[in-house]
Amino acid sequence: MGKEELDAVSLFRIWLEARVLACTPFTIVSYFLMWYPPPFVSGRVAWYLTFHCLFQALTTLFQVPYSALTMFLSTDQKDRDSATAYRMTMEVLGTLIGAALQGQIVASAHVSPHCTVNPSVNTTDSWHDTPSIPDPSDPLSHQAKVYMIAAGVIAGVYLLGIVILFLGVKERDDPYALKSDRAIPFCKGLALTMKHGPYVKLTASFLLISTAVQLEQGNFVLFCTHAAGLRNHFQYLVVTILVSAVVSVPFWQKFLQRFGKKCAACGISWMIPFAVMLVTIPNLILAYFVSFISGLSIAASLLLPWSMLPDVVDNFRLQNPHGKGHETIFYSSYVFFTKMSAGIGLGISAAALEFTGYKPGICRQSDDVILTLKLLIGAVPAILILLGLFILLFYPITEESRKETKLALEELRRSHQSTENLDSHRKDTSV
């Protein structure tokens, strides 16, 4: 029976690895086709929507087992926290490298200034744009070609990352589970997950915080372009945010080890006063300073939930010692909530800008649009972050409870090993 259970677990993990490999070529193709202008015009919205949704679905298939691997790398809490910090550093660094690669490749497609002014006519219509997208009737124009080249390069980097993950990472068997333990059915496990108090509080808190970060990131370029008069600097401001986030992840890792994870969550609120200052006093030097502080806060918002989630899983394990396979349920449901926060942020931005009359492609927006951008950058994220941090105050897992859980799980593992050794001895005696 024990061998059959072990074989079942091994087959399940082989299936997960096969799923990661199987979705890789389709992910690469769907990403490339997102940047390919089809030869027809009338159905382009459906084309891009289809491949964007397909790409998001395929990346989710990869992200769930990839993020859940953290629980199978080590049983030590410090090792898992270090692995999480390293993973988030590499993810932000990968974003920076991808942005730099694509930016350099497509730079030749945007050599002319975005906006020019006709001084003889003092109207909004005198502001016009130099076309920055390919001609719909010419899918093989220069601009289309460079964007497809950039997509191919990014797809190659994605493939390289998958190969490194598959060949370089080896997970361990669940050290706390008996061979006789059975995997929790998905529906039952999901119901138990949604009833687990620490997980509910953690998810609710970072759902609000992630939505705030999505609003900040999604509207920052528009704010710099239309509301702050920093049209020629937003590329460098975005790079400042990414560099700040990369270098600050190790700082937050050390901070949470010394002062605790709930205390480190206060760093997420650092962006609030400076973002409000930028909204009220748009200034180039202040904009760079705000970008640096925003990078610090974004790094904390990325690191902390993935660092706290293993603690929640350990707490659940202690309350349900005879079940296994629940790690993927926790991680898959949390991935769902992160995707939902991105959708909520995009929906809020799109609806607000559409309601106030935002018109893409023009250089001077109306006063209502500018006011909306200021609210989406300043007031709305501030409210969401404060609400998320307020919910996090009721998160019950502290540094003391983490240590108690660690000791209890170590005792549980020793007792499981003793039970398995006793069972083996009985089988040998009977033979």
Side-chain angles (χ1 to χ4, degrees):
M1 181 66 180
K3 184 177 180 180
E4 293 176 356
E5 291 290 340
L6 184 59
D7 291 341
V9 173
S10 300
L11 288 173
F12 178 72
R13 290 186 177 174
I14 292 174
W15 178 79
L16 283 179
E17 294 175 353
R19 189 177 72 176
V20 170
L21 289 179
C23 71
T24 298
F26 299 102
T27 305
I28 293 174
V29 171
S30 62
Y31 179 79
F32 181 82
L33 291 177
M34 281 199 307
W35 297 95
Y36 176 77
F40 48 85
V41 178
S42 60
R44 284 198 169 188
V45 173
W47 171 278
Y48 291 121
L49 181 62
T50 298
F51 286 107
H52 180 76
C53 292
L54 181 61
F55 175 74
Q56 291 296 331
L58 291 170
T59 52
T60 301
L61 288 177
F62 163 76
Q63 189 176 5
V64 172
Y66 163 70
S67 57
L69 276 175
T70 305
M71 293 300 300
F72 297 101
L73 295 178
S74 175
T75 59
D76 186 80
Q77 294 175 348
K78 290 184 178 179
D79 291 343
R80 290 194 308 238
D81 289 344
S82 298
T84 301
Y86 178 78
R87 176 168 71 91
M88 299 315 301
T89 301
M90 292 298 104
E91 285 188 10
V92 180
L93 181 61
T95 303
L96 177 60
I97 293 174
L101 285 175
Q102 180 150 342
Q104 289 299 316
I105 294 173
V106 305
S108 61
H110 301 278
V111 293
S112 58
H114 180 64
C115 295
T116 57
V117 183
N118 183 358
S120 61
V121 183
N122 188 20
T123 63
T124 302
D125 294 335
S126 65
W127 288 67
H128 60 276
D129 296 312
T130 300
S132 59
I133 59 175
D135 183 2
S137 62
D138 186 12
L140 296 180
S141 64
H142 172 68
Q143 290 174 321
K145 287 180 180 179
V146 295
Y147 271 99
M148 286 189 289
I149 292 172
V153 172
I154 299 300
V157 174
Y158 184 87
L159 179 61
L160 177 62
I162 294 293
V163 172
I164 293 174
L165 172 67
F166 185 76
L167 298 179
V169 179
K170 301 297 181 183
E171 72 273 23
R172 300 179 181 180
D173 291 332
D174 188 349
Y176 301 122
L178 287 170
K179 294 179 181 179
S180 59
D181 290 344
R182 294 185 178 275
I184 302 176
F186 178 78
C187 293
K188 180 181 178 181
L190 184 62
L192 291 174
T193 299
M194 293 297 103
K195 294 177 182 178
H196 192 58
Y199 181 72
V200 172
K201 294 180 177 66
L202 178 69
T203 303
S205 172
F206 279 97
L207 177 63
L208 295 171
I209 292 173
S210 298
T211 303
V213 172
Q214 291 293 334
L215 287 171
E216 190 87 19
Q217 291 179 324
N219 295 285
F220 185 74
V221 173
L222 291 177
F223 172 80
C224 291
T225 303
H226 300 293
L230 302 174
R231 186 187 311 274
N232 297 325
H233 296 273
F234 73 83
Q235 300 98 327
Y236 307 107
L237 294 172
V238 172
V239 171
T240 303
I241 293 175
L242 292 174
V243 172
S244 175
V246 170
V247 300
S248 61
V249 170
F251 162 76
W252 286 118
Q253 173 63 16
K254 295 294 184 181
F255 188 94
L256 64 86
Q257 287 180 348
R258 183 176 180 85
F259 299 102
K261 297 178 182 180
K262 291 181 68 173
C263 183
C266 297
I268 300 174
S269 64
W270 289 1
M271 71 168 68
I272 295 177
F274 299 100
V276 173
M277 288 175 59
L278 181 62
V279 167
T280 55
I281 313 173
N283 179 273
L284 180 60
I285 297 177
L286 181 60
Y288 277 100
F289 188 71
V290 170
S291 299
F292 175 76
I293 298 298
S294 297
L296 296 178
S297 297
I298 290 172
S301 68
L302 292 174
L303 174 63
L304 283 173
W306 293 109
S307 180
M308 298 168 81
L309 189 56
D311 301 335
V312 174
V313 176
D314 283 345
N315 184 270
F316 182 86
R317 156 70 72 186
L318 194 60
Q319 298 181 16
N320 301 270
H322 294 290
K324 61 182 179 181
H326 54 276
E327 293 87 359
T328 53
I329 298 176
F330 274 99
Y331 278 85
S332 61
S333 57
Y334 188 78
V335 168
F336 166 77
F337 285 115
T338 58
K339 298 285 186 180
M340 187 170 70
S341 68
I344 292 173
L346 181 61
I348 292 174
S349 301
L353 292 174
E354 179 70 20
F355 180 77
T356 54
Y358 173 78
K359 297 179 180 179
I362 67 173
C363 292
R364 178 176 294 174
Q365 300 290 340
S366 65
D367 293 339
D368 291 337
V369 172
I370 293 176
L371 176 61
T372 301
L373 289 172
K374 290 181 178 180
L375 292 175
L376 292 174
I377 286 292
V380 178
I383 294 173
L384 293 175
I385 289 174
L386 293 176
L387 286 175
L389 294 177
F390 177 75
I391 296 174
L392 199 62
L393 291 176
F394 302 96
Y395 177 71
I397 299 178
T398 61
E399 295 304 306
E400 291 74 16
S401 63
R402 287 181 67 230
K403 294 177 182 178
E404 295 173 358
T405 301
K406 178 182 178 181
L407 295 175
L409 288 177
E410 289 176 353
E411 181 62 29
L412 180 65
R413 180 171 59 175
R414 285 193 293 266
S415 64
H416 279 193
Q417 290 175 344
S418 300
T419 302
E420 291 177 355
N421 293 334
L422 181 59
D423 291 341
S424 299
H425 177 71
R426 288 176 178 174
K427 290 180 181 179
D428 293 339
T429 303
S430 63
V431 172

